[in-house]
Amino acid sequence: MTAPLNAAAVAALALEPLDWRFKGLPASWWGRTPADLCEASPRLLDDGGGAVGPVCVLLADALAANLATMAQWCRDRGVKLAPHGKTHMAPALLARQLDAGACAVTVATISQVRIFRAFGVRDVVLANELVDPAALRWLAAELDADADFTLVCWVDSVRGVELMTSTLTAAGAVRPVDVCVEVGMAGGRTGCRDADSVDEVARAVAASARLRLVGVAGYEAALGHGLGPDAVAVVRSYLADVRAAVLRLAPLFETESIIATAGGSTHFDIVADALTEWPADMCVRTILRSGCYLTHDDGLYHRTSPLRDGLRSALRVWAQVVSRPEPDLAVLTMGRRDVSFDQDLPMPYGFTSAHVVKLNDQHAYLRLGDDDVDVGDWVEFGISHPCTVFDKWPMIPVLDGDGRVVELIRTFF
Ligand SMILES: Cc1ncc(COP(=O)(O)O)c(C=O)c1O
């Protein structure tokens, strides 16, 4: 059995010289490799550090603590974790998640599968139906070339099953593609909307020689991240449907080890309640797919994570004040190109009343209230929703508790 990831391919990233491609990083780093820099562990943000704003950083201690906290939680609750790789798209971060016990990476697209495969990732959950013929041909060749490579994707229609089957047949695929039937929710995203459709799709998979029915999948946050009683009731009732599907389809599964997968970073406690404790004659692997626990945040997941008292925010963006055009207003070098804005605006650290009221492409508007800043001051911001911060930064320095660079994380979006 091959390793869950090609550690040498990940390590090789640290040997690629840095240059102007990586915004925010000091020009004095150009021509040097991450490996060489981390050996010297320079400071980044102090006077003379050389960072230019805005710059995004990860905090080493918080990352390590979050990894350990989530891994322990999963062990305690008897669930596996296939963290969503779309959050960071960083092989070096996935390597740590796998080291901490993750069983696979989750991805959303075939291009993301290809990126992680380029780093030898052995086990992949593709949380989508795959009907693109070119993608299916590539996947069939990849599966047939590497007996250790496992991928499970989702199906939610008979038409999808037929398209997959005919393309894989025409491609001469040898290994069947593993699939989970996806259970959806009314008003949600993908997924069969009722038990009859779930069963019909499952039967179509079981009848296909090119597909193997291995489990049931769902995503409980398709309607949002609400924690109010109504929202939680919807999530519970939805997960009861997922559980019922696993039990109902037991005779159809084409594997001894059935997959039941759900769970983003908000309701994974409810998922663990709903999708564990199976009948003794069934071997079910419950797989969570949380991605945002790793860096956590100061917004959405700070409010909604079941581990909000244990996880620490590990992703920050620093920006400089470039203008104080009105008494109550500071404008900073950080905009929608640099930081997430889909859930909440970034939150400044170290102030009592200052808050961001607007972002342009390249500017942030900070209403100061009782606080004060000068042109030239640096401000540290917490973020809300890590997925839409990572995608804006191709290289992210990791800082230790002293502000020294201990690693550089390359992302691939
Ligand atoms: C299908 C699916 N699974 C898992 C996740 C991970 O959830 P989170 O981003 O809250 O960690 C997502 C996120 O969008 C998702 O769409």
mmCIF file with all atom_site columns, all heavy atoms in Angstrom, residues 16-40:
data_model
loop_
_atom_site.group_PDB
_atom_site.id
_atom_site.type_symbol
_atom_site.label_atom_id
_atom_site.label_alt_id
_atom_site.label_comp_id
_atom_site.label_asym_id
_atom_site.label_entity_id
_atom_site.label_seq_id
_atom_site.pdbx_PDB_ins_code
_atom_site.Cartn_x
_atom_site.Cartn_y
_atom_site.Cartn_z
_atom_site.occupancy
_atom_site.B_iso_or_equiv
_atom_site.pdbx_formal_charge
_atom_site.auth_seq_id
_atom_site.auth_comp_id
_atom_site.auth_asym_id
_atom_site.auth_atom_id
_atom_site.pdbx_PDB_model_num
ATOM 1   N N   . GLU A 1 16 ? 11.419 25.552 -4.256  1.00 0.00 ? 16 GLU A N   1
ATOM 2   C CA  . GLU A 1 16 ? 11.186 26.437 -5.408  1.00 0.00 ? 16 GLU A CA  1
ATOM 3   C C   . GLU A 1 16 ? 11.436 27.875 -4.995  1.00 0.00 ? 16 GLU A C   1
ATOM 4   O O   . GLU A 1 16 ? 10.780 28.377 -4.073  1.00 0.00 ? 16 GLU A O   1
ATOM 5   C CB  . GLU A 1 16 ? 9.738  26.288 -5.900  1.00 0.00 ? 16 GLU A CB  1
ATOM 6   C CG  . GLU A 1 16 ? 9.468  24.921 -6.511  1.00 0.00 ? 16 GLU A CG  1
ATOM 7   C CD  . GLU A 1 16 ? 8.008  24.735 -6.920  1.00 0.00 ? 16 GLU A CD  1
ATOM 8   O OE1 . GLU A 1 16 ? 7.223  25.703 -6.872  1.00 0.00 ? 16 GLU A OE1 1
ATOM 9   O OE2 . GLU A 1 16 ? 7.670  23.587 -7.276  1.00 0.00 ? 16 GLU A OE2 1
ATOM 10  N N   . PRO A 1 17 ? 12.364 28.568 -5.673  1.00 0.00 ? 17 PRO A N   1
ATOM 11  C CA  . PRO A 1 17 ? 12.700 29.935 -5.258  1.00 0.00 ? 17 PRO A CA  1
ATOM 12  C C   . PRO A 1 17 ? 11.494 30.876 -5.302  1.00 0.00 ? 17 PRO A C   1
ATOM 13  O O   . PRO A 1 17 ? 10.619 30.744 -6.155  1.00 0.00 ? 17 PRO A O   1
ATOM 14  C CB  . PRO A 1 17 ? 13.759 30.368 -6.282  1.00 0.00 ? 17 PRO A CB  1
ATOM 15  C CG  . PRO A 1 17 ? 14.275 29.103 -6.877  1.00 0.00 ? 17 PRO A CG  1
ATOM 16  C CD  . PRO A 1 17 ? 13.157 28.104 -6.806  1.00 0.00 ? 17 PRO A CD  1
ATOM 17  N N   . LEU A 1 18 ? 11.484 31.799 -4.366  1.00 0.00 ? 18 LEU A N   1
ATOM 18  C CA  . LEU A 1 18 ? 10.401 32.798 -4.291  1.00 0.00 ? 18 LEU A CA  1
ATOM 19  C C   . LEU A 1 18 ? 10.707 33.952 -5.242  1.00 0.00 ? 18 LEU A C   1
ATOM 20  O O   . LEU A 1 18 ? 11.868 34.204 -5.565  1.00 0.00 ? 18 LEU A O   1
ATOM 21  C CB  . LEU A 1 18 ? 10.321 33.331 -2.863  1.00 0.00 ? 18 LEU A CB  1
ATOM 22  C CG  . LEU A 1 18 ? 9.981  32.275 -1.824  1.00 0.00 ? 18 LEU A CG  1
ATOM 23  C CD1 . LEU A 1 18 ? 10.286 32.794 -0.423  1.00 0.00 ? 18 LEU A CD1 1
ATOM 24  C CD2 . LEU A 1 18 ? 8.510  31.907 -1.940  1.00 0.00 ? 18 LEU A CD2 1
ATOM 25  N N   . ASP A 1 19 ? 9.668  34.641 -5.648  1.00 0.00 ? 19 ASP A N   1
ATOM 26  C CA  . ASP A 1 19 ? 9.875  35.845 -6.459  1.00 0.00 ? 19 ASP A CA  1
ATOM 27  C C   . ASP A 1 19 ? 8.653  36.749 -6.360  1.00 0.00 ? 19 ASP A C   1
ATOM 28  O O   . ASP A 1 19 ? 7.820  36.584 -5.459  1.00 0.00 ? 19 ASP A O   1
ATOM 29  C CB  . ASP A 1 19 ? 10.220 35.486 -7.903  1.00 0.00 ? 19 ASP A CB  1
ATOM 30  C CG  . ASP A 1 19 ? 9.104  34.703 -8.584  1.00 0.00 ? 19 ASP A CG  1
ATOM 31  O OD1 . ASP A 1 19 ? 7.960  34.764 -8.096  1.00 0.00 ? 19 ASP A OD1 1
ATOM 32  O OD2 . ASP A 1 19 ? 9.369  34.037 -9.593  1.00 0.00 ? 19 ASP A OD2 1
ATOM 33  N N   . TRP A 1 20 ? 8.535  37.674 -7.300  1.00 0.00 ? 20 TRP A N   1
ATOM 34  C CA  . TRP A 1 20 ? 7.492  38.689 -7.291  1.00 0.00 ? 20 TRP A CA  1
ATOM 35  C C   . TRP A 1 20 ? 6.083  38.124 -7.425  1.00 0.00 ? 20 TRP A C   1
ATOM 36  O O   . TRP A 1 20 ? 5.110  38.834 -7.252  1.00 0.00 ? 20 TRP A O   1
ATOM 37  C CB  . TRP A 1 20 ? 7.752  39.666 -8.453  1.00 0.00 ? 20 TRP A CB  1
ATOM 38  C CG  . TRP A 1 20 ? 8.065  38.923 -9.726  1.00 0.00 ? 20 TRP A CG  1
ATOM 39  C CD1 . TRP A 1 20 ? 9.291  38.602 -10.205 1.00 0.00 ? 20 TRP A CD1 1
ATOM 40  C CD2 . TRP A 1 20 ? 7.119  38.337 -10.631 1.00 0.00 ? 20 TRP A CD2 1
ATOM 41  N NE1 . TRP A 1 20 ? 9.188  37.859 -11.363 1.00 0.00 ? 20 TRP A NE1 1
ATOM 42  C CE2 . TRP A 1 20 ? 7.865  37.687 -11.653 1.00 0.00 ? 20 TRP A CE2 1
ATOM 43  C CE3 . TRP A 1 20 ? 5.724  38.300 -10.703 1.00 0.00 ? 20 TRP A CE3 1
ATOM 44  C CZ2 . TRP A 1 20 ? 7.255  37.019 -12.711 1.00 0.00 ? 20 TRP A CZ2 1
ATOM 45  C CZ3 . TRP A 1 20 ? 5.130  37.629 -11.766 1.00 0.00 ? 20 TRP A CZ3 1
ATOM 46  C CH2 . TRP A 1 20 ? 5.889  36.999 -12.745 1.00 0.00 ? 20 TRP A CH2 1
ATOM 47  N N   . ARG A 1 21 ? 5.965  36.840 -7.757  1.00 0.00 ? 21 ARG A N   1
ATOM 48  C CA  . ARG A 1 21 ? 4.619  36.268 -7.922  1.00 0.00 ? 21 ARG A CA  1
ATOM 49  C C   . ARG A 1 21 ? 3.826  36.278 -6.622  1.00 0.00 ? 21 ARG A C   1
ATOM 50  O O   . ARG A 1 21 ? 2.607  36.182 -6.652  1.00 0.00 ? 21 ARG A O   1
ATOM 51  C CB  . ARG A 1 21 ? 4.726  34.810 -8.378  1.00 0.00 ? 21 ARG A CB  1
ATOM 52  C CG  . ARG A 1 21 ? 5.067  34.624 -9.830  1.00 0.00 ? 21 ARG A CG  1
ATOM 53  C CD  . ARG A 1 21 ? 5.256  33.142 -10.126 1.00 0.00 ? 21 ARG A CD  1
ATOM 54  N NE  . ARG A 1 21 ? 5.639  32.935 -11.502 1.00 0.00 ? 21 ARG A NE  1
ATOM 55  C CZ  . ARG A 1 21 ? 6.875  33.065 -11.955 1.00 0.00 ? 21 ARG A CZ  1
ATOM 56  N NH1 . ARG A 1 21 ? 7.852  33.371 -11.123 1.00 0.00 ? 21 ARG A NH1 1
ATOM 57  N NH2 . ARG A 1 21 ? 7.152  32.890 -13.242 1.00 0.00 ? 21 ARG A NH2 1
ATOM 58  N N   . PHE A 1 22 ? 4.524  36.347 -5.500  1.00 0.00 ? 22 PHE A N   1
ATOM 59  C CA  . PHE A 1 22 ? 3.842  36.130 -4.232  1.00 0.00 ? 22 PHE A CA  1
ATOM 60  C C   . PHE A 1 22 ? 3.652  37.439 -3.495  1.00 0.00 ? 22 PHE A C   1
ATOM 61  O O   . PHE A 1 22 ? 4.580  37.951 -2.862  1.00 0.00 ? 22 PHE A O   1
ATOM 62  C CB  . PHE A 1 22 ? 4.625  35.098 -3.417  1.00 0.00 ? 22 PHE A CB  1
ATOM 63  C CG  . PHE A 1 22 ? 4.842  33.831 -4.176  1.00 0.00 ? 22 PHE A CG  1
ATOM 64  C CD1 . PHE A 1 22 ? 6.107  33.404 -4.518  1.00 0.00 ? 22 PHE A CD1 1
ATOM 65  C CD2 . PHE A 1 22 ? 3.750  33.075 -4.596  1.00 0.00 ? 22 PHE A CD2 1
ATOM 66  C CE1 . PHE A 1 22 ? 6.293  32.239 -5.247  1.00 0.00 ? 22 PHE A CE1 1
ATOM 67  C CE2 . PHE A 1 22 ? 3.916  31.911 -5.318  1.00 0.00 ? 22 PHE A CE2 1
ATOM 68  C CZ  . PHE A 1 22 ? 5.194  31.493 -5.654  1.00 0.00 ? 22 PHE A CZ  1
ATOM 69  N N   . LYS A 1 23 ? 2.438  37.967 -3.592  1.00 0.00 ? 23 LYS A N   1
ATOM 70  C CA  . LYS A 1 23 ? 2.181  39.305 -3.046  1.00 0.00 ? 23 LYS A CA  1
ATOM 71  C C   . LYS A 1 23 ? 2.367  39.339 -1.535  1.00 0.00 ? 23 LYS A C   1
ATOM 72  O O   . LYS A 1 23 ? 2.107  38.356 -0.836  1.00 0.00 ? 23 LYS A O   1
ATOM 73  C CB  . LYS A 1 23 ? 0.772  39.777 -3.427  1.00 0.00 ? 23 LYS A CB  1
ATOM 74  C CG  . LYS A 1 23 ? -0.358 38.951 -2.839  1.00 0.00 ? 23 LYS A CG  1
ATOM 75  C CD  . LYS A 1 23 ? -1.722 39.511 -3.251  1.00 0.00 ? 23 LYS A CD  1
ATOM 76  C CE  . LYS A 1 23 ? -2.844 38.679 -2.661  1.00 0.00 ? 23 LYS A CE  1
ATOM 77  N NZ  . LYS A 1 23 ? -4.179 39.223 -2.927  1.00 0.00 ? 23 LYS A NZ  1
ATOM 78  N N   . GLY A 1 24 ? 2.818  40.492 -1.094  1.00 0.00 ? 24 GLY A N   1
ATOM 79  C CA  . GLY A 1 24 ? 2.968  40.721 0.340   1.00 0.00 ? 24 GLY A CA  1
ATOM 80  C C   . GLY A 1 24 ? 4.333  40.359 0.885   1.00 0.00 ? 24 GLY A C   1
ATOM 81  O O   . GLY A 1 24 ? 4.760  40.892 1.909   1.00 0.00 ? 24 GLY A O   1
ATOM 82  N N   . LEU A 1 25 ? 5.039  39.428 0.205   1.00 0.00 ? 25 LEU A N   1
ATOM 83  C CA  . LEU A 1 25 ? 6.297  38.932 0.785   1.00 0.00 ? 25 LEU A CA  1
ATOM 84  C C   . LEU A 1 25 ? 7.442  39.909 0.506   1.00 0.00 ? 25 LEU A C   1
ATOM 85  O O   . LEU A 1 25 ? 7.443  40.611 -0.504  1.00 0.00 ? 25 LEU A O   1
ATOM 86  C CB  . LEU A 1 25 ? 6.619  37.549 0.211   1.00 0.00 ? 25 LEU A CB  1
ATOM 87  C CG  . LEU A 1 25 ? 5.540  36.480 0.402   1.00 0.00 ? 25 LEU A CG  1
ATOM 88  C CD1 . LEU A 1 25 ? 6.068  35.118 -0.022  1.00 0.00 ? 25 LEU A CD1 1
ATOM 89  C CD2 . LEU A 1 25 ? 5.057  36.429 1.844   1.00 0.00 ? 25 LEU A CD2 1
ATOM 90  N N   . PRO A 1 26 ? 8.444  39.944 1.395   1.00 0.00 ? 26 PRO A N   1
ATOM 91  C CA  . PRO A 1 26 ? 9.568  40.865 1.236   1.00 0.00 ? 26 PRO A CA  1
ATOM 92  C C   . PRO A 1 26 ? 10.339 40.631 -0.067  1.00 0.00 ? 26 PRO A C   1
ATOM 93  O O   . PRO A 1 26 ? 10.597 39.466 -0.422  1.00 0.00 ? 26 PRO A O   1
ATOM 94  C CB  . PRO A 1 26 ? 10.468 40.542 2.434   1.00 0.00 ? 26 PRO A CB  1
ATOM 95  C CG  . PRO A 1 26 ? 9.578  39.869 3.427   1.00 0.00 ? 26 PRO A CG  1
ATOM 96  C CD  . PRO A 1 26 ? 8.534  39.150 2.640   1.00 0.00 ? 26 PRO A CD  1
ATOM 97  N N   . ALA A 1 27 ? 10.735 41.706 -0.722  1.00 0.00 ? 27 ALA A N   1
ATOM 98  C CA  . ALA A 1 27 ? 11.539 41.571 -1.945  1.00 0.00 ? 27 ALA A CA  1
ATOM 99  C C   . ALA A 1 27 ? 12.893 40.929 -1.628  1.00 0.00 ? 27 ALA A C   1
ATOM 100 O O   . ALA A 1 27 ? 13.499 40.282 -2.490  1.00 0.00 ? 27 ALA A O   1
ATOM 101 C CB  . ALA A 1 27 ? 11.731 42.941 -2.595  1.00 0.00 ? 27 ALA A CB  1
ATOM 102 N N   . SER A 1 28 ? 13.339 41.075 -0.386  1.00 0.00 ? 28 SER A N   1
ATOM 103 C CA  . SER A 1 28 ? 14.629 40.473 -0.007  1.00 0.00 ? 28 SER A CA  1
ATOM 104 C C   . SER A 1 28 ? 14.561 38.941 -0.016  1.00 0.00 ? 28 SER A C   1
ATOM 105 O O   . SER A 1 28 ? 15.591 38.273 0.054   1.00 0.00 ? 28 SER A O   1
ATOM 106 C CB  . SER A 1 28 ? 15.055 40.959 1.378   1.00 0.00 ? 28 SER A CB  1
ATOM 107 O OG  . SER A 1 28 ? 14.063 40.594 2.323   1.00 0.00 ? 28 SER A OG  1
ATOM 108 N N   . TRP A 1 29 ? 13.350 38.391 -0.103  1.00 0.00 ? 29 TRP A N   1
ATOM 109 C CA  . TRP A 1 29 ? 13.210 36.929 -0.152  1.00 0.00 ? 29 TRP A CA  1
ATOM 110 C C   . TRP A 1 29 ? 13.337 36.381 -1.579  1.00 0.00 ? 29 TRP A C   1
ATOM 111 O O   . TRP A 1 29 ? 13.466 35.174 -1.769  1.00 0.00 ? 29 TRP A O   1
ATOM 112 C CB  . TRP A 1 29 ? 11.839 36.496 0.402   1.00 0.00 ? 29 TRP A CB  1
ATOM 113 C CG  . TRP A 1 29 ? 11.646 36.719 1.865   1.00 0.00 ? 29 TRP A CG  1
ATOM 114 C CD1 . TRP A 1 29 ? 12.446 37.411 2.732   1.00 0.00 ? 29 TRP A CD1 1
ATOM 115 C CD2 . TRP A 1 29 ? 10.547 36.228 2.640   1.00 0.00 ? 29 TRP A CD2 1
ATOM 116 N NE1 . TRP A 1 29 ? 11.909 37.406 3.997   1.00 0.00 ? 29 TRP A NE1 1
ATOM 117 C CE2 . TRP A 1 29 ? 10.738 36.681 3.971   1.00 0.00 ? 29 TRP A CE2 1
ATOM 118 C CE3 . TRP A 1 29 ? 9.411  35.474 2.359   1.00 0.00 ? 29 TRP A CE3 1
ATOM 119 C CZ2 . TRP A 1 29 ? 9.832  36.390 4.996   1.00 0.00 ? 29 TRP A CZ2 1
ATOM 120 C CZ3 . TRP A 1 29 ? 8.522  35.179 3.365   1.00 0.00 ? 29 TRP A CZ3 1
ATOM 121 C CH2 . TRP A 1 29 ? 8.730  35.634 4.684   1.00 0.00 ? 29 TRP A CH2 1
ATOM 122 N N   . TRP A 1 30 ? 13.216 37.258 -2.560  1.00 0.00 ? 30 TRP A N   1
ATOM 123 C CA  . TRP A 1 30 ? 13.241 36.773 -3.947  1.00 0.00 ? 30 TRP A CA  1
ATOM 124 C C   . TRP A 1 30 ? 14.557 36.049 -4.217  1.00 0.00 ? 30 TRP A C   1
ATOM 125 O O   . TRP A 1 30 ? 15.630 36.515 -3.829  1.00 0.00 ? 30 TRP A O   1
ATOM 126 C CB  . TRP A 1 30 ? 13.082 37.932 -4.946  1.00 0.00 ? 30 TRP A CB  1
ATOM 127 C CG  . TRP A 1 30 ? 11.765 38.634 -4.829  1.00 0.00 ? 30 TRP A CG  1
ATOM 128 C CD1 . TRP A 1 30 ? 10.702 38.276 -4.056  1.00 0.00 ? 30 TRP A CD1 1
ATOM 129 C CD2 . TRP A 1 30 ? 11.396 39.846 -5.490  1.00 0.00 ? 30 TRP A CD2 1
ATOM 130 N NE1 . TRP A 1 30 ? 9.685  39.192 -4.202  1.00 0.00 ? 30 TRP A NE1 1
ATOM 131 C CE2 . TRP A 1 30 ? 10.077 40.168 -5.077  1.00 0.00 ? 30 TRP A CE2 1
ATOM 132 C CE3 . TRP A 1 30 ? 12.035 40.709 -6.401  1.00 0.00 ? 30 TRP A CE3 1
ATOM 133 C CZ2 . TRP A 1 30 ? 9.400  41.293 -5.522  1.00 0.00 ? 30 TRP A CZ2 1
ATOM 134 C CZ3 . TRP A 1 30 ? 11.358 41.832 -6.867  1.00 0.00 ? 30 TRP A CZ3 1
ATOM 135 C CH2 . TRP A 1 30 ? 10.051 42.114 -6.432  1.00 0.00 ? 30 TRP A CH2 1
ATOM 136 N N   . GLY A 1 31 ? 14.450 34.931 -4.894  1.00 0.00 ? 31 GLY A N   1
ATOM 137 C CA  . GLY A 1 31 ? 15.641 34.149 -5.212  1.00 0.00 ? 31 GLY A CA  1
ATOM 138 C C   . GLY A 1 31 ? 15.969 33.130 -4.132  1.00 0.00 ? 31 GLY A C   1
ATOM 139 O O   . GLY A 1 31 ? 16.767 32.226 -4.362  1.00 0.00 ? 31 GLY A O   1
ATOM 140 N N   . ARG A 1 32 ? 15.367 33.269 -2.952  1.00 0.00 ? 32 ARG A N   1
ATOM 141 C CA  . ARG A 1 32 ? 15.631 32.294 -1.884  1.00 0.00 ? 32 ARG A CA  1
ATOM 142 C C   . ARG A 1 32 ? 14.509 31.255 -1.844  1.00 0.00 ? 32 ARG A C   1
ATOM 143 O O   . ARG A 1 32 ? 13.389 31.524 -2.275  1.00 0.00 ? 32 ARG A O   1
ATOM 144 C CB  . ARG A 1 32 ? 15.750 33.005 -0.532  1.00 0.00 ? 32 ARG A CB  1
ATOM 145 C CG  . ARG A 1 32 ? 16.899 33.999 -0.520  1.00 0.00 ? 32 ARG A CG  1
ATOM 146 C CD  . ARG A 1 32 ? 16.962 34.759 0.779   1.00 0.00 ? 32 ARG A CD  1
ATOM 147 N NE  . ARG A 1 32 ? 17.323 33.914 1.917   1.00 0.00 ? 32 ARG A NE  1
ATOM 148 C CZ  . ARG A 1 32 ? 17.343 34.348 3.175   1.00 0.00 ? 32 ARG A CZ  1
ATOM 149 N NH1 . ARG A 1 32 ? 17.015 35.602 3.448   1.00 0.00 ? 32 ARG A NH1 1
ATOM 150 N NH2 . ARG A 1 32 ? 17.693 33.549 4.161   1.00 0.00 ? 32 ARG A NH2 1
ATOM 151 N N   . THR A 1 33 ? 14.787 30.112 -1.329  1.00 0.00 ? 33 THR A N   1
ATOM 152 C CA  . THR A 1 33 ? 13.754 29.078 -1.256  1.00 0.00 ? 33 THR A CA  1
ATOM 153 C C   . THR A 1 33 ? 13.077 29.133 0.113   1.00 0.00 ? 33 THR A C   1
ATOM 154 O O   . THR A 1 33 ? 13.688 29.579 1.101   1.00 0.00 ? 33 THR A O   1
ATOM 155 C CB  . THR A 1 33 ? 14.357 27.668 -1.425  1.00 0.00 ? 33 THR A CB  1
ATOM 156 O OG1 . THR A 1 33 ? 15.219 27.417 -0.316  1.00 0.00 ? 33 THR A OG1 1
ATOM 157 C CG2 . THR A 1 33 ? 15.108 27.536 -2.727  1.00 0.00 ? 33 THR A CG2 1
ATOM 158 N N   . PRO A 1 34 ? 11.833 28.658 0.191   1.00 0.00 ? 34 PRO A N   1
ATOM 159 C CA  . PRO A 1 34 ? 11.182 28.563 1.499   1.00 0.00 ? 34 PRO A CA  1
ATOM 160 C C   . PRO A 1 34 ? 12.022 27.771 2.501   1.00 0.00 ? 34 PRO A C   1
ATOM 161 O O   . PRO A 1 34 ? 12.116 28.140 3.672   1.00 0.00 ? 34 PRO A O   1
ATOM 162 C CB  . PRO A 1 34 ? 9.862  27.861 1.179   1.00 0.00 ? 34 PRO A CB  1
ATOM 163 C CG  . PRO A 1 34 ? 9.560  28.275 -0.226  1.00 0.00 ? 34 PRO A CG  1
ATOM 164 C CD  . PRO A 1 34 ? 10.898 28.329 -0.911  1.00 0.00 ? 34 PRO A CD  1
ATOM 165 N N   . ALA A 1 35 ? 12.673 26.696 2.036   1.00 0.00 ? 35 ALA A N   1
ATOM 166 C CA  . ALA A 1 35 ? 13.473 25.873 2.953   1.00 0.00 ? 35 ALA A CA  1
ATOM 167 C C   . ALA A 1 35 ? 14.598 26.701 3.564   1.00 0.00 ? 35 ALA A C   1
ATOM 168 O O   . ALA A 1 35 ? 14.817 26.701 4.784   1.00 0.00 ? 35 ALA A O   1
ATOM 169 C CB  . ALA A 1 35 ? 14.038 24.672 2.209   1.00 0.00 ? 35 ALA A CB  1
ATOM 170 N N   . ASP A 1 36 ? 15.261 27.451 2.721   1.00 0.00 ? 36 ASP A N   1
ATOM 171 C CA  . ASP A 1 36 ? 16.389 28.273 3.157   1.00 0.00 ? 36 ASP A CA  1
ATOM 172 C C   . ASP A 1 36 ? 15.895 29.381 4.110   1.00 0.00 ? 36 ASP A C   1
ATOM 173 O O   . ASP A 1 36 ? 16.479 29.633 5.170   1.00 0.00 ? 36 ASP A O   1
ATOM 174 C CB  . ASP A 1 36 ? 17.012 28.828 1.855   1.00 0.00 ? 36 ASP A CB  1
ATOM 175 C CG  . ASP A 1 36 ? 17.938 29.989 2.086   1.00 0.00 ? 36 ASP A CG  1
ATOM 176 O OD1 . ASP A 1 36 ? 18.661 29.924 3.085   1.00 0.00 ? 36 ASP A OD1 1
ATOM 177 O OD2 . ASP A 1 36 ? 17.934 30.925 1.264   1.00 0.00 ? 36 ASP A OD2 1
ATOM 178 N N   . LEU A 1 37 ? 14.768 29.997 3.749   1.00 0.00 ? 37 LEU A N   1
ATOM 179 C CA  . LEU A 1 37 ? 14.227 31.081 4.593   1.00 0.00 ? 37 LEU A CA  1
ATOM 180 C C   . LEU A 1 37 ? 13.820 30.576 5.972   1.00 0.00 ? 37 LEU A C   1
ATOM 181 O O   . LEU A 1 37 ? 14.085 31.221 6.988   1.00 0.00 ? 37 LEU A O   1
ATOM 182 C CB  . LEU A 1 37 ? 12.995 31.677 3.927   1.00 0.00 ? 37 LEU A CB  1
ATOM 183 C CG  . LEU A 1 37 ? 13.292 32.844 3.011   1.00 0.00 ? 37 LEU A CG  1
ATOM 184 C CD1 . LEU A 1 37 ? 12.139 33.074 2.088   1.00 0.00 ? 37 LEU A CD1 1
ATOM 185 C CD2 . LEU A 1 37 ? 13.584 34.081 3.845   1.00 0.00 ? 37 LEU A CD2 1
ATOM 186 N N   . CYS A 1 38 ? 13.165 29.419 5.973   1.00 0.00 ? 38 CYS A N   1
ATOM 187 C CA  . CYS A 1 38 ? 12.658 28.915 7.256   1.00 0.00 ? 38 CYS A CA  1
ATOM 188 C C   . CYS A 1 38 ? 13.811 28.522 8.167   1.00 0.00 ? 38 CYS A C   1
ATOM 189 O O   . CYS A 1 38 ? 13.718 28.624 9.386   1.00 0.00 ? 38 CYS A O   1
ATOM 190 C CB  . CYS A 1 38 ? 11.675 27.771 7.033   1.00 0.00 ? 38 CYS A CB  1
ATOM 191 S SG  . CYS A 1 38 ? 10.210 28.373 6.189   1.00 0.00 ? 38 CYS A SG  1
ATOM 192 N N   . GLU A 1 39 ? 14.886 28.109 7.562   1.00 0.00 ? 39 GLU A N   1
ATOM 193 C CA  . GLU A 1 39 ? 16.105 27.830 8.338   1.00 0.00 ? 39 GLU A CA  1
ATOM 194 C C   . GLU A 1 39 ? 16.549 29.107 9.060   1.00 0.00 ? 39 GLU A C   1
ATOM 195 O O   . GLU A 1 39 ? 16.945 29.073 10.233  1.00 0.00 ? 39 GLU A O   1
ATOM 196 C CB  . GLU A 1 39 ? 17.180 27.382 7.337   1.00 0.00 ? 39 GLU A CB  1
ATOM 197 C CG  . GLU A 1 39 ? 18.490 27.039 7.936   1.00 0.00 ? 39 GLU A CG  1
ATOM 198 C CD  . GLU A 1 39 ? 18.694 25.533 7.986   1.00 0.00 ? 39 GLU A CD  1
ATOM 199 O OE1 . GLU A 1 39 ? 17.910 24.797 7.362   1.00 0.00 ? 39 GLU A OE1 1
ATOM 200 O OE2 . GLU A 1 39 ? 19.638 25.126 8.683   1.00 0.00 ? 39 GLU A OE2 1
ATOM 201 N N   . ALA A 1 40 ? 16.455 30.240 8.361   1.00 0.00 ? 40 ALA A N   1
ATOM 202 C CA  . ALA A 1 40 ? 16.883 31.516 8.956   1.00 0.00 ? 40 ALA A CA  1
ATOM 203 C C   . ALA A 1 40 ? 15.793 32.108 9.853   1.00 0.00 ? 40 ALA A C   1
ATOM 204 O O   . ALA A 1 40 ? 16.058 32.998 10.656  1.00 0.00 ? 40 ALA A O   1
ATOM 205 C CB  . ALA A 1 40 ? 17.237 32.498 7.840   1.00 0.00 ? 40 ALA A CB  1
#
